[in-house]
């Protein structure tokens, strides 16, 4: 049995009971023996200790009260501090992009005076985690300057306005507790210039829901910081314009797109796909910023300019060679769901717009055309395979397949949320949809046109509270 088949069989054995979780009971592994041909590298666990029976039927998400409201002097930015997140409105009808960037920074500093020092500390934690101690930080100055110059002038001006107000005025990268101009700018392009960690997407179309409309879940997982700093900055941002408005779920002070839905009902999100290491040649493709651009800002562009998922996917696919890293770019509307497998290097394959009919890697199964999954690997046959090679991707893929694709029932919004939060993650070393690095789990309901989310920050991550973020489209 080759290595790919061994890993797949191992994961299937561990996850056999998951297919029953979509019913009314949760089975256990009691009495099950591994086939002698398969040596498990994963940790078995009884489902009683690993899964939680939740019931969200009839339970409305929490509408949080506003604790405090601040506004920039010119009124271009208004921030409402909720209990667990910030609600930001940016007014693009009445100010320039530069003015809006400056107004946003002004309002942030009113509410969170230590924002620059906290975010700067978080930034360098990530850089040192990725690059190691003794890193030449000035390489990031080059990245910021080249990537920023590739963006639309409006985005450049907005970034400059924010930096001029939020930063200390100094330049370059130095972990000194003061946010420089370039340090503030790189926080708007973390996926493109630094790197996120793990994320996933699960969506089902109207054939599989009780409402007849799509449900989509986006799990954002980044390093939360050694002091869980990111949990302080959950944010919903309303980008308001008469011609193009959209709503983003992300982090306070960040102007790119991580998870978003526009007024036309197009949803998007980005997922990291790391470069594949060639063990035979002992080679991994180097980072290149010259002549490249930011896919996180291309996601913002499609939010502002596209009304269908299909057209937005085509735009992203056409620009994929310009990106700095491989990425999976999720795009959906009520009718369609796609993953643009954005391939930067030809050694990794070729860019493809994957949908439910796309042929997958050998040995990789998906049981239902009405549901669609994305993890941190390309899945289309012919592109680099980091699913069957990497347990964290493989286990999540099989779990999603067993819980959602294999489910015979039609899913209500409540049942969809129950399945997305069925795993216990506190003190668990097992692979889950939501790891200890989860920042937010956002669910878009294309029937009610609403988004609700679970945010990190609670002492017990298994204590689930869905927050009503309102109508997004």
């Amino acid at each position: 049995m080759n290595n790919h088949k061994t890993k797949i069989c191992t994961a299937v054995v561990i996850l056999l009971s998951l297919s029953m979780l979509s019913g009314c009971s949760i089975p256990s592994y009691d009495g099950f023996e591994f086939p002698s041909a398969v040596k498990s590298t994963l940790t078995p666990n009884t489902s009683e200790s690993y899964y939680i029976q939740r019931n969200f039927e009839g339970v409305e998400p929490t509408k949080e009260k506003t604790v405090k409201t601040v506004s920039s002097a010119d009124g271009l930015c208004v921030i409402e501090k909720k209990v667990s997140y910030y609600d930001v409105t940016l007014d693009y009808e009445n100010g320039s992009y530069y003015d809006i960037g400056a107004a946003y920074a002004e309002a942030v500093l009113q509410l969170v005076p230590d924002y620059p020092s906290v975010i700067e500390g978080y930034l360098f934690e990530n850089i040192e985690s990725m690059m190691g101690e003794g890193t030449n930080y000035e390489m990031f100055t080059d990245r910021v300057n080249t990537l920023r110059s590739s963006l639309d002038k409006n985005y450049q001006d907005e970034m400059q306005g924010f930096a001029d107000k939020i930063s200390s005025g100094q330049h370059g990268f130095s972990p000194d507790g003061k946010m420089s101009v370039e340090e503030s700018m790189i926080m708007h392009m973390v996926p493109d210039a630094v790197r996120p960690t793990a994320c996933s997407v699960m969506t089902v179309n109207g054939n599989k829901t009780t409402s007849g409309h799509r449900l989509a879940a986006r799990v954002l997982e980044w390093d939360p910081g050694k002091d869980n700093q990111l949990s302080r900055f959950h944010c919903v941002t309303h980008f308001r314009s008469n011609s193009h408005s959209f709503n983003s779920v992300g982090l306070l002070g960040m102007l790119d797109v991580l998870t978003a839905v526009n007024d036309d009902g197009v949803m998007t999100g980005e997922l990291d796909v790391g470069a594949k290491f060639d063990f035979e040649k002992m080679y991994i493709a180097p980072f290149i910023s010259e002549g490249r651009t930011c896919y996180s800002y291309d996601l913002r562009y499609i939010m502002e300019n596209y009304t269908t998922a299909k057209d937005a996917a085509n735009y992203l696919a056409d620009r994929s060679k310009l990106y700095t890293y491989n990425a999976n770019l999720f795009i959906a509307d009520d009718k369609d769901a796609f993953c643009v497998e954005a391939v930067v290097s030809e050694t990794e394959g070729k860019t493809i717009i994957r949908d439910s009919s796309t042929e997958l890697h050998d040995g990789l199964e998906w049981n239902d055309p009405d549901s669609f999954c994305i993890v941190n690997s390309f899945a289309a046959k012919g592109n680099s395979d980091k699913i069957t090679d990497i347990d964290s991707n493989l286990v999540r893929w099989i779990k999603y397949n067993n819980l959602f694709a294999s489910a015979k029932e039609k899913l209500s919004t409540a049942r969809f949320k129950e399945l997305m939060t069925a795993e216990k993650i506190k003190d668990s070393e097992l692979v889950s949809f939501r790891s200890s690095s989860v920042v937010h789990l956002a669910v878009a309901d294309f029937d009610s046109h609403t988004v609700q989310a679970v945010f990190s920050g609670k002492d017990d991550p298994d204590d689930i509270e869905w927050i009503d973020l309102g109508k997004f489209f």
Side-chain angles (χ1 to χ4, degrees):
M1 185 180 292
N2 67 32
N3 187 49
H4 285 189
K5 289 182 179 178
T6 300
K7 288 200 171 197
I8 292 172
C9 288
T10 300
V12 169
V13 167
I14 296 301
L15 300 167
L16 278 174
S17 66
L18 279 171
S19 61
M20 295 178 62
L21 185 57
S22 58
C24 297
S25 63
I26 296 178
S28 72
Y29 300 126
D30 295 343
F32 182 83
E33 294 183 4
F34 287 96
S36 58
V38 176
K39 180 176 177 57
S40 174
T41 61
L42 304 175
T43 305
N45 203 355
T46 61
S47 56
E48 288 82 357
S49 64
Y50 187 51
Y51 296 106
I52 301 172
Q53 288 281 13
R54 301 189 188 277
N55 183 6
F56 295 130
E57 291 291 349
V59 180
E60 295 296 319
T62 301
K63 290 182 178 291
E64 291 194 341
K65 66 179 182 179
T66 298
V67 177
K68 185 178 181 180
T69 301
V70 302
S71 173
S72 60
D74 54 18
L76 295 177
C77 176
V78 176
I79 304 179
E80 296 181 22
K81 173 68 176 77
K82 305 290 187 177
V83 175
S84 61
Y85 71 99
Y86 297 90
D87 191 281
V88 177
T89 300
L90 302 175
D91 179 5
Y92 288 85
E93 284 300 307
N94 294 298
S96 69
Y97 277 71
Y98 179 92
D99 290 341
I100 288 168
Y104 192 6
E106 176 190 332
V108 167
L109 290 174
Q110 289 183 59
L111 273 177
V112 192
D114 65 344
Y115 179 89
S117 61
V118 173
I119 290 297
E120 198 240 22
Y122 172 79
L123 171 64
F124 280 96
E125 280 183 37
N126 275 262
I127 289 176
E128 291 181 3
S129 174
M130 180 181 69
M131 307 293 292
E133 294 185 7
T135 298
N136 175 14
Y137 297 127
E138 285 310 305
M139 73 171 68
F140 291 98
T141 300
D142 293 337
R143 292 185 184 188
V144 168
N145 290 335
T146 55
L147 290 176
R148 177 173 170 265
S149 66
S150 74
L151 301 178
D152 180 273
K153 186 178 184 302
N154 284 334
Y155 298 154
Q156 293 186 49
D157 290 347
E158 181 184 67
M159 201 180 289
Q160 188 67 56
F162 189 89
D164 287 348
K165 185 68 81 169
I166 203 83
S167 75
S168 62
Q170 65 193 48
H171 290 271
F173 282 77
S174 176
D176 56 7
K178 300 176 183 179
M179 182 173 281
S180 72
V181 170
E182 288 78 16
E183 288 166 358
S184 74
M185 289 181 175
I186 204 171
M187 293 306 299
H188 303 297
M189 53 180 85
V190 167
D192 312 280
V194 190
R195 286 258 72 175
T197 51
C199 303
S200 62
V201 165
M202 181 66 231
T203 182
V204 293
N205 68 22
N207 293 331
K208 205 173 181 69
T209 64
T210 56
S211 70
H213 294 276
R214 180 174 302 282
L215 292 167
R218 150 72 155 157
V219 181
L220 177 70
E221 295 178 282
W222 282 14
D223 183 346
K226 66 179 182 182
D227 297 318
N228 205 18
Q229 301 98 304
L230 289 194
S231 294
R232 291 182 55 187
F233 301 122
H234 298 301
C235 185
V236 174
T237 306
H238 310 282
F239 294 76
R240 288 288 170 258
S241 166
N242 288 339
S243 60
H244 52 261
S245 294
F246 71 97
N247 304 284
S248 173
V249 185
L251 297 163
L252 184 68
M254 298 183 190
L255 290 159
D256 58 348
V257 163
L258 303 178
T259 306
V261 189
N262 70 14
D263 282 1
D264 294 296
V266 179
M267 182 179 185
T268 194
E270 50 79 22
L271 295 86
D272 177 18
V273 177
K276 191 174 181 69
F277 187 79
D278 187 329
F279 285 96
E280 292 184 3
K281 298 180 180 179
M282 297 301 289
Y283 172 82
I284 190 168
F287 178 90
I288 299 173
S289 58
E290 193 67 41
R292 304 297 176 90
T293 193
C294 300
Y295 60 73
S296 60
Y297 272 89
D298 273 3
L299 295 188
R300 179 167 166 181
Y301 181 84
I302 66 171
M303 288 292 93
E304 295 171 340
N305 292 279
Y306 284 87
T307 61
T308 69
K310 185 175 182 180
D311 289 343
N314 285 328
Y315 172 81
L316 295 171
D318 287 345
R319 289 181 49 89
S320 61
K321 291 296 184 185
L322 299 174
Y323 301 148
T324 52
Y325 290 116
N326 295 327
N328 280 332
L329 306 178
F330 167 59
I331 312 97
D333 55 24
D334 197 16
K335 178 185 176 183
D336 296 310
F338 304 105
C339 174
V340 176
E341 297 194 353
V343 179
V344 173
S345 170
E346 292 181 356
T347 62
E348 304 267 359
K350 64 179 182 180
T351 293
I352 186 172
I353 300 174
R354 178 166 69 86
D355 61 17
S356 59
S357 67
T358 303
E359 188 176 4
L360 303 176
H361 296 313
D362 290 340
L364 192 62
E365 294 185 359
W366 191 258
N367 295 339
D368 180 23
D370 293 321
S371 56
F372 191 71
C373 171
I374 310 173
V375 293
N376 297 106
S377 170
F378 300 137
K381 186 173 183 178
N383 284 345
S384 62
D385 178 6
K386 290 181 277 291
I387 295 183
T388 58
D389 277 348
I390 299 177
D391 284 341
S392 62
N393 285 329
L394 178 60
V395 171
R396 287 184 296 161
W397 181 278
I398 295 176
K399 283 184 176 182
Y400 277 128
N401 187 38
N402 284 333
L403 283 178
F404 292 92
S406 300
K408 303 303 181 185
E409 62 178 320
K410 290 200 172 188
L411 300 174
S412 65
T413 303
R415 188 57 179 152
F416 186 80
K417 295 191 302 181
E418 289 166 8
L419 295 179
M420 286 300 305
T421 56
E423 302 161 292
K424 291 182 180 179
I425 62 174
K426 185 178 182 181
D427 301 324
S428 174
E429 296 181 357
L430 303 182
V431 176
S432 306
F433 301 152
R434 300 177 303 118
S435 73
S436 58
S437 295
V438 68
V439 176
H440 69 239
L441 162 58
V443 169
D445 184 335
F446 285 73
D447 178 36
S448 63
H449 299 175
T450 59
V451 173
Q452 49 190 289
V454 176
F455 291 125
S456 65
K458 291 192 174 185
D459 292 336
D460 182 358
D462 295 320
D463 179 12
I464 297 298
E465 181 181 16
W466 288 94
I467 307 299
D468 183 353
L469 304 182
K471 281 191 176 290
F472 266 37
F473 54 104

